[in-house]
């Protein structure tokens, strides 16, 4: 067991090495003159492009460049982003809390509702509830988040004016944050508001989260429904369920105690996939709702050809995915007694 | 001697695949709805020059006379399969950004001066072109790699599967974003980026199927008959491993226009004015709020392109789901 944990922990740096090498490889697609821009911090330095290419060996081999890039990246230098006017690391740090908040507020209802719907579909397999739930799943797969988002904005922002259309906070609350009436503790608006006891700011933050979170929920839920349904159907067909029924245990107990506990094991994997899906979804949802997270910035950076910015975001996403996958693998050794890695 | 085996293998596989399709559509309403939807979109794509007749620059590029509506069959085919660049550009009715409601000439309204009907009809052609191009590349590359990894195993398998690991290390859309940012926007680069991302999933699925098949008796029999390894891989194993790939390909046809649309929506897709669904939604984004008192004044700008892309994807998803259900051994 400990052996497995150690071996699994050692794979993380290997994956990151491969991922970062791919990133440097992708950078070779653009000419050294453009790549040199990542090393400048103001417009005046653009005149020294040739010098920058020389000193940073931007015209050298991929391996040479990778070695230099790795040294800088380990020192916390991922270059300068034209779109944000800051270094990539500073931008990621300042914008990440908003994305984290959106992801957390989506992930909890996503998993809860998705697992519940998937379980219901399996229990009522091939009957009306199953049909309805599967239609929900297919519709969720089919509607693009940017279409759903635009429609939601037309109705709840444009027509009804119930919910705000842009940002993660209204101007009034932003002033409170800036003047220190709401203390900056975590960077997550709702949590900071709660810690400072400002319920009005909390409500304001929540109102800004509803539409983007709902959009991400609809787009993300089909995978959870399908996954839970399949694993629940498998569980309900297993021998120990037949045994439990034969013993005369009520159907309710059979489903909730015996089947569901085992069916939920693969859900750990589904959750880690959902996090990866939410990171992708954040690029679109944050752009659509003008939400100040890393996703919206990455989209701007990509559209402006600001490669250090996009690659910094991709590196962040890959790191999160790698860590979540690692945690999932480790979680299985705890939640499933049958999994014993030698 | 070895000529006998492939024939019998083909004979055995044909009735089976036919029955999968027959079983998929029998008493399966969603599958039929999906097939009808896709059929309609195919019709729209084929009838594009009739449903949204070429105008302005496109007419000039096709050298159509003033009164000609539909050219001769040869010219029609050219218009459909290899249209001049001008025809894939939505004609401008004017230069006012303000959307104009449906009227004669622009039955679905216009936004930013672009005729929405023209964008949707010719965008259908773009969606099929993009889907078929990416799927063709993905199936060829992913299939070849999956087959080689699964059939030959060993170090080759190890190297190829580590390559898929690296691809899977990024959330798909984010890797597409990086590649398009590096390659630059445009339809061709989108196709390259989407293919570079989606080959890995297909390779994995095919590999696991090949791993199962290569241990079966009929492969050992072919080997015993003296067939060469590549021949066994291509003629005996590959045709039987393609089943699960089939439903993945159908589902991918539905999801590709969504990803491509997302790129257009982010300003990374096709050039401005190109007949493409995502482009129209990006234009619609600015017209979410109507003028005071008329909240739904610009409904046509968001409704038609959104419905168009969602129904296309729905059609493929219904088909793919039904196929997947039929091919799933647990449902036999």
């Amino acid at each position: 067991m400990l052996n497995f944990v150690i071996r699994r922990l050692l794979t993380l740096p290997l994956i990151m090495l491969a991922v970062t090498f791919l990133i440097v490889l992708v950078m070779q697609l653009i000419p050294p003159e453009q790549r040199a821009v990542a090393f400048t911090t103001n417009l005046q330095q653009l005149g020294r492009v040739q010098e920058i290419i020389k000193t940073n060996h931007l015209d050298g081999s991929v391996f040479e460049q990778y070695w230099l890039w790795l040294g800088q990246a380990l020192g916390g230098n991922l270059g300068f982003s034209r779109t944000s006017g800051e270094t990539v690391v500073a931008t990621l740090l300042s914008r990440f809390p908003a994305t984290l908040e959106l992801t957390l507020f989506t992930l909890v209802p996503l998993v809860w509702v998705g697992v519940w719907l998937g379980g219901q579909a399996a229990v009522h397999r091939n009957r009306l509830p199953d049909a309805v739930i599967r239609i929900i799943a297919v519709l969720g797969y089919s509607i693009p988040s940017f279409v759903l988002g635009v429609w939601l904005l037309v109705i709840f922002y444009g027509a009804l004016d119930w919910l705000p259309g842009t940002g993660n906070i209204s101007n009034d609350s932003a002033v409170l944050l800036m003047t220190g009436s709401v203390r900056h503790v975590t960077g997550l608006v709702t949590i900071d508001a709660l810690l400072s006891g400002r319920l009005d700011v909390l409500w304001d933050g929540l109102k800004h989260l509803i539409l983007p979170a709902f959009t991400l929920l609809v787009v993300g839920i089909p995978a959870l429904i399908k996954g839970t349904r399949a694993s629940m159907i498998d569980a309900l067909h297993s021998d120990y369920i037949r045994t439990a029924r034969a013993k005369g245990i009520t159907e309710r107990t059979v489903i909730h105690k015996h089947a569901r506990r085992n069916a939920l094991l693969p859900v750990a994997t589904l959750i880690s996939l959902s996090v990866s899906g939410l990171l992708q979804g954040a690029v679109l949802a944050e752009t659509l709702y003008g939400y100040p997270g890393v996703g919206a910035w990455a989209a701007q950076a990509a559209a402006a050809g600001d490669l250090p910015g996009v690659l910094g975001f991709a590196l962040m996403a890959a790191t999160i995915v790698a860590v979540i996958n690692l945690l999932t693998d480790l979680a299985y050794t705890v939640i499933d007694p049958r999994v014993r890695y030698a | 001697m070895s000529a006998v085996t492939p024939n019998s293998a083909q004979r055995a596989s044909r009735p089976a695949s036919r029955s999968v399709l027959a079983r998929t559509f029998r008493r399966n309403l969603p599958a039929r709805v999906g097939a009808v939807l896709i059929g309609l979109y195919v019709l729209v794509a084929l009838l594009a020059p009739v449903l949204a007749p070429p105008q302005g620059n496109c007419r000039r590029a096709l050298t159509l006379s003033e009164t000609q509506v539909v050219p001769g069959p040869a010219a029609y085919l050219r218009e459909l399969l290899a249209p001049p660049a001008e025809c894939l550009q939505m004609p401008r009715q004017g230069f006012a950004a303000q959307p104009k409601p449906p009227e004669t000439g622009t039955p679905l309204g216009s936004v930013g001066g672009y005729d929405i009907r023209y964008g949707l009809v010719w965008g259908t052609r773009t969606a099929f072109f993009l889907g078929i191009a990416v799927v063709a590349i993905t199936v060829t590359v992913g299939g070849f790699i999956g087959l080689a990894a699964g059939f030959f195993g060993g170090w080759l398998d190890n190297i190829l599967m580590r390559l898929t690991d690296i691809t899977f290390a990024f959330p798909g859309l984010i890797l597409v974003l990086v590649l398009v940012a590096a390659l630059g926007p445009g339809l061709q680069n989108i196709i390259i980026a989407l293919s570079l991302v989606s080959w890995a999933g297909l390779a994995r699925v095919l590999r696991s199927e090949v791993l199962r098949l290569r241990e079966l008796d009929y492969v050992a029999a072919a080997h015993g008959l003296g067939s060469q390894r590549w021949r066994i891989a291509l003629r005996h194993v590959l045709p039987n491993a393609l089943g699960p790939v089939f439903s993945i390909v159908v589902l991918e046809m539905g999801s590709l226009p969504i990803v491509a649309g997302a790129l257009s929506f982010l300003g990374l897709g096709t050039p401005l004015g190109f007949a493409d669904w995502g482009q129209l939604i990006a234009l619609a984004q600015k017209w979410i709020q109507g003028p005071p008192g008329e909240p739904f004044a610009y409904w046509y700008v968001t409704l038609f392109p959104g419905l168009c892309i969602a129904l296309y994807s729905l059609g493929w998803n219904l088909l793919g789901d039904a196929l997947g259900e039929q091919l799933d051994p647990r449902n036999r």
Side-chain angles (χ1 to χ4, degrees):
Chain A
M1 164 90 177
L2 188 70
N3 211 336
F4 165 77
V5 174
I6 293 170
R7 256 194 302 152
R8 187 66 184 77
L9 282 173
L10 284 177
T11 57
L12 185 67
L14 284 180
I15 294 175
M16 291 321 295
L17 276 179
V19 161
T20 47
F21 184 71
L22 184 69
I23 282 178
V24 175
L25 203 61
V26 168
M27 276 204 263
Q28 308 303 310
L29 285 169
I30 60 171
E33 285 77 15
Q34 277 184 40
R35 273 182 274 140
V37 178
F39 293 87
T40 61
T41 45
N42 60 47
L43 286 174
Q44 280 74 42
Q45 293 171 339
L46 283 180
R48 304 192 352 241
V49 161
Q50 291 305 327
E51 200 181 315
I52 292 172
I53 293 177
K54 279 256 156 53
T55 50
N56 293 294
H57 299 275
L58 290 182
D59 45 1
S61 74
V62 183
F63 300 100
E64 190 184 356
Q65 288 188 49
Y66 180 59
W67 185 243
L68 288 167
W69 183 89
L70 197 64
Q72 286 176 335
L74 289 175
N77 179 7
L78 292 175
F80 184 81
S81 163
R82 272 189 286 132
T83 9
S84 64
E86 280 180 309
T87 63
V88 171
V89 175
T91 317
L92 285 175
L93 286 177
S94 69
R95 281 177 164 257
F96 183 68
T99 302
L100 180 68
E101 187 168 29
L102 178 58
T103 307
L104 288 179
F105 269 90
T106 315
L107 192 64
V108 175
L110 177 71
V111 172
W112 199 353
V113 178
V115 166
W116 183 75
L117 284 177
Q120 290 298 312
V123 171
H124 302 281
R125 190 182 178 196
N126 291 338
R127 289 198 297 270
L128 185 67
D130 185 26
V132 173
I133 292 167
R134 284 170 73 187
I135 289 174
I136 294 176
V138 168
L139 288 179
Y141 265 130
S142 305
I143 192 158
S145 55
F146 48 93
V147 170
L148 178 69
V150 165
W151 286 352
L152 288 173
L153 278 172
V154 168
I155 297 169
F156 293 101
Y157 168 69
L160 299 171
D161 202 16
W162 286 353
L163 294 166
T166 52
N168 67 339
I169 201 166
S170 63
N171 288 339
D172 295 348
S173 310
V175 170
L176 289 173
L177 263 173
M178 269 187 274
T179 53
S181 303
V182 175
R183 274 176 296 129
H184 184 94
V185 188
T186 57
L188 278 64
V189 172
T190 47
I191 300 200
D192 282 354
L194 207 60
L195 289 175
S196 310
R198 290 299 298 252
L199 292 181
D200 52 335
V201 179
L202 172 70
W203 173 233
D204 183 49
L206 285 176
K207 271 202 299 192
H208 282 84
L209 279 167
I210 292 174
L211 284 184
F214 182 74
T215 309
L216 288 173
L217 182 93
V218 172
V219 178
I221 215 160
L224 273 159
I225 292 181
K226 273 190 167 179
T228 320
R229 180 177 178 273
S231 89
M232 188 74 172
I233 284 175
D234 276 352
L236 284 170
H237 278 154
S238 55
D239 289 341
Y240 62 84
I241 293 296
R242 199 175 307 141
T243 313
R245 283 187 178 136
K247 284 199 293 187
I249 298 172
T250 59
E251 189 62 20
R252 207 185 140 73
T253 321
V254 169
I255 290 167
H256 289 274
K257 279 236 166 104
H258 297 246
R260 200 166 60 183
R261 286 206 181 164
N262 286 290
L264 283 185
L265 291 173
V267 173
T269 304
L270 289 174
I271 293 173
S272 73
L273 285 175
S274 296
V275 172
S276 161
L278 288 177
L279 279 173
Q280 303 180 46
V283 176
L284 291 165
E286 287 178 3
T287 304
L288 185 60
Y289 294 103
Y291 196 85
V294 277
W297 166 65
Q300 281 170 24
D306 169 13
L307 214 51
V310 196
L311 290 171
F313 171 72
L315 182 61
M316 186 207 81
T319 313
I320 293 176
V321 169
V323 170
I324 297 265
N325 284 343
L326 173 71
L327 291 178
T328 315
D329 279 1
L330 295 182
Y332 272 113
T333 62
V334 178
I335 58 176
D336 189 349
R338 287 169 303 182
V339 179
R340 283 280 175 264
Y341 301 97
Chain B
M1 255 213 347
S2 57
V4 181
T5 12
N7 279 338
S8 55
Q10 275 176 355
R11 229 178 288 136
S13 74
R14 262 189 210 143
S17 64
R18 204 181 295 150
S19 74
V20 164
L21 275 185
R23 268 185 283 141
T24 305
F25 288 110
R26 199 188 308 144
R27 283 177 295 147
N28 191 336
L29 185 66
R32 288 183 192 170
V33 173
V36 168
L37 277 174
I38 298 308
L40 283 176
Y41 277 98
V42 171
L43 270 182
V44 169
L46 288 179
L47 295 175
V50 183
L51 292 172
Q55 302 172 15
N57 291 338
C58 173
R59 289 187 71 90
R60 251 160 267 141
L62 288 166
T63 57
L64 287 179
S65 66
E66 285 283 318
T67 49
Q68 233 172 341
V69 182
V70 180
Y76 187 90
L77 269 180
R78 182 170 91 96
E79 210 175 312
L80 203 62
L81 296 174
E86 288 88 348
C87 294
L88 293 175
Q89 200 71 16
M90 292 184 274
R92 295 203 88 148
Q93 311 295 318
F95 286 86
Q98 183 102 352
K100 284 207 197 79
E103 56 186 16
T104 43
T106 55
L108 300 180
S110 66
V111 57
Y114 295 114
D115 181 0
I116 293 177
R117 170 192 57 166
Y118 194 91
L120 293 185
V121 168
W122 287 85
T124 310
R125 200 194 151 280
T126 310
F128 274 111
F129 175 69
L130 176 110
I132 291 169
V134 174
V135 161
I137 299 173
T138 312
V139 170
T140 315
V141 175
F144 192 71
I145 290 179
L147 182 68
F151 195 76
F152 295 107
W155 59 269
L156 187 67
D157 184 27
N158 235 322
I159 291 179
L160 292 174
M161 285 306 108
R162 293 300 81 74
L163 275 178
T164 61
D165 281 344
I166 299 171
T167 319
F168 283 131
F170 295 94
L173 179 67
I174 294 176
L175 192 52
V176 173
L177 204 67
V178 169
L179 290 170
V180 175
L183 292 166
L187 191 61
Q188 196 187 333
N189 287 343
I190 295 176
I191 291 174
I192 295 173
L194 287 174
S195 309
L196 278 173
V197 172
S198 45
W199 66 273
L202 218 121
R204 279 273 179 95
V205 172
L206 202 82
R207 172 183 172 268
S208 65
E209 198 62 19
V210 169
L211 278 179
R212 185 178 69 81
L213 289 170
R214 73 166 188 186
E215 302 302 331
L216 296 185
D217 287 343
Y218 80 93
V219 175
H223 201 72
L225 284 170
S227 294
Q228 278 169 337
R229 294 185 77 188
W230 263 116
R231 194 183 169 81
I232 299 176
L234 288 175
R235 305 283 311 252
H236 298 246
V237 175
L238 186 64
N240 288 307
L242 286 176
V245 171
F246 197 40
S247 80
I248 294 182
V249 160
V250 171
L251 289 174
E252 194 146 295
M253 282 295 288
S255 66
L256 284 170
I258 291 191
V259 184
L263 290 174
S264 287
F265 175 77
L266 295 173
L268 282 161
T270 50
L272 186 69
F274 194 86
D276 162 45
W277 298 336
Q279 181 97 219
L280 283 169
I281 294 170
L283 287 169
Q285 200 193 356
K286 301 181 188 89
W287 303 101
I288 280 161
Q289 252 178 326
E294 304 169 73
F296 291 118
Y298 306 128
W299 58 275
Y300 47 88
V301 172
T302 47
L303 185 70
F304 295 132
L307 265 186
C308 186
I309 189 165
L311 286 177
Y312 179 84
S313 182
L314 179 70
W316 288 108
N317 279 328
L318 288 173
L319 261 185
D321 260 11
L323 271 177
E325 196 93 332
Q326 277 309 323
L327 292 166
D328 188 345
R330 279 174 303 190
N331 292 322
R332 278 188 196 142

